[in-house]
Amino acid sequence: MKALIFDCDGVLVDTERDGHRVAFNRAFADAGLDAEWDVALYGELLKIAGGKERMTHYFNENGWPRGQTAESLIPQLHKRKTAIFTELVASGSLPLRPGITRIVDEAHSAGVRLGVCTTSAADSVNGVLDLMGKQRKTYFEIVLAGDVVSKKKPDPEIYDLAKKRLGLDGRECVVIEDSRNGLLAAVGAGMRCLITTSTYTQDEDFNEAARVVPELGDPPKVLITLKDLKSIATMRAA
């Protein structure tokens, strides 16, 4: 294993239910829109990767506000939603998941290169990485986010781009994801993938994953070590 790549939402922080969903709803309210995503509905919408794509799908299904189109509404809504989400993260209400800083520190000390690949907006990811502290944030060699690719997960494009930026083969990389879409994207790029389930993904199909755990864990309940991740890199492809 020469590189360890993290998804952001659901992996670094369990953000979806009480972070992104809340931010979307506040953005809708600020714009005077009659739209609110409850916990169950948002779980269904998460099957669509990308916030802009998610909103577009929702309004296509439920009708667009009078006089609005995707081109006029979605960019401004997404910008406002991202600002709200960043404020939520900065407030400390959405902490890093157990084991994240431990694994990041262990990987960095062992010379393993670090990256993030996510469909979230760059500003949102930047806010999450700020939770790690200035020094630890510098450990991440690549941060690929938002519209850096044209096809979102489960398409492997973002992980293919990561391989290109790192100059590595997929077999030299291990990915930590929390969703089936992320898993399929990683596997599609030839990378081994560990799943750490999150609030919305506990019941998804992870048959292609090298291993599935509820979290990485911190002492005294460590579930995944750097040694475990390195062993995943040597597993034979299914």
Side-chain angles (χ1 to χ4, degrees):
M1 181 177 70
K2 294 183 179 179
L4 178 60
I5 304 174
F6 297 85
D7 175 40
C8 180
D9 296 306
V11 172
L12 300 180
V13 176
D14 198 349
T15 53
E16 296 293 4
R17 186 186 67 186
D18 300 323
H20 286 294
R21 185 185 67 86
V22 170
F24 276 117
N25 285 335
R26 290 184 185 175
F28 296 152
D30 288 352
L33 300 179
D34 183 20
E36 183 172 355
W37 294 350
D38 63 24
V39 172
L41 173 58
Y42 193 65
E44 289 298 311
L45 291 171
L46 280 175
K47 295 176 183 177
I48 300 163
K52 295 175 185 176
E53 292 80 0
R54 204 167 294 147
M55 288 190 289
T56 299
H57 171 82
Y58 173 80
F59 288 117
N60 280 339
E61 292 292 313
N62 294 277
W64 289 86
R66 185 184 298 273
Q68 295 282 11
T69 65
E71 291 76 16
S72 65
L73 182 63
I74 297 302
Q76 64 180 5
L77 271 181
H78 195 260
K79 182 178 181 180
R80 178 61 184 142
K81 174 261 171 184
T82 299
I84 295 169
F85 175 78
T86 302
E87 291 169 4
L88 284 172
V89 173
S91 73
S93 61
L94 298 168
L96 291 167
R97 293 192 67 187
I100 291 298
T101 55
R102 174 181 57 80
I103 286 291
V104 167
D105 288 345
E106 290 176 3
H108 176 71
S109 295
V112 176
R113 300 161 75 183
L114 294 166
V116 174
C117 287
T118 177
T119 58
S120 286
D123 286 347
S124 294
V125 183
N126 190 53
V128 169
L129 291 177
D130 280 341
L131 296 176
M132 296 191 185
K134 291 183 179 180
Q135 182 61 46
R136 195 175 281 115
K137 186 177 179 181
T138 66
Y139 297 166
F140 289 84
E141 184 175 340
I142 60 165
V143 178
L144 304 180
D147 298 325
V148 69
V149 293
S150 60
K151 299 176 183 177
K152 302 292 176 67
K153 300 172 185 177
D155 192 280
E157 184 178 1
I158 195 164
Y159 285 116
D160 284 333
L161 179 59
K163 289 189 299 186
K164 183 177 180 180
R165 294 279 180 89
L166 292 168
L168 296 176
D169 186 276
R171 292 169 295 182
E172 298 173 306
C173 306
V174 171
V175 173
I176 301 179
E177 278 277 1
D178 75 307
S179 69
R180 178 157 182 80
N181 277 346
L183 168 63
L184 293 178
V187 172
M191 299 177 178
R192 305 289 189 271
C193 183
L194 175 137
I195 292 291
T196 171
T197 55
S198 59
T199 300
Y200 277 113
T201 67
Q202 298 175 48
D203 298 321
E204 292 188 9
D205 176 11
F206 296 123
N207 186 58
E208 299 88 349
R211 189 168 172 183
V212 180
V213 294
E215 63 180 49
L216 302 180
D218 277 319
K221 187 183 177 182
V222 173
L223 301 181
I224 294 296
T225 66
L226 186 64
K227 182 178 179 181
D228 293 325
L229 293 170
K230 287 183 175 181
S231 70
I232 286 172
T234 64
M235 294 175 64
R236 292 183 179 181

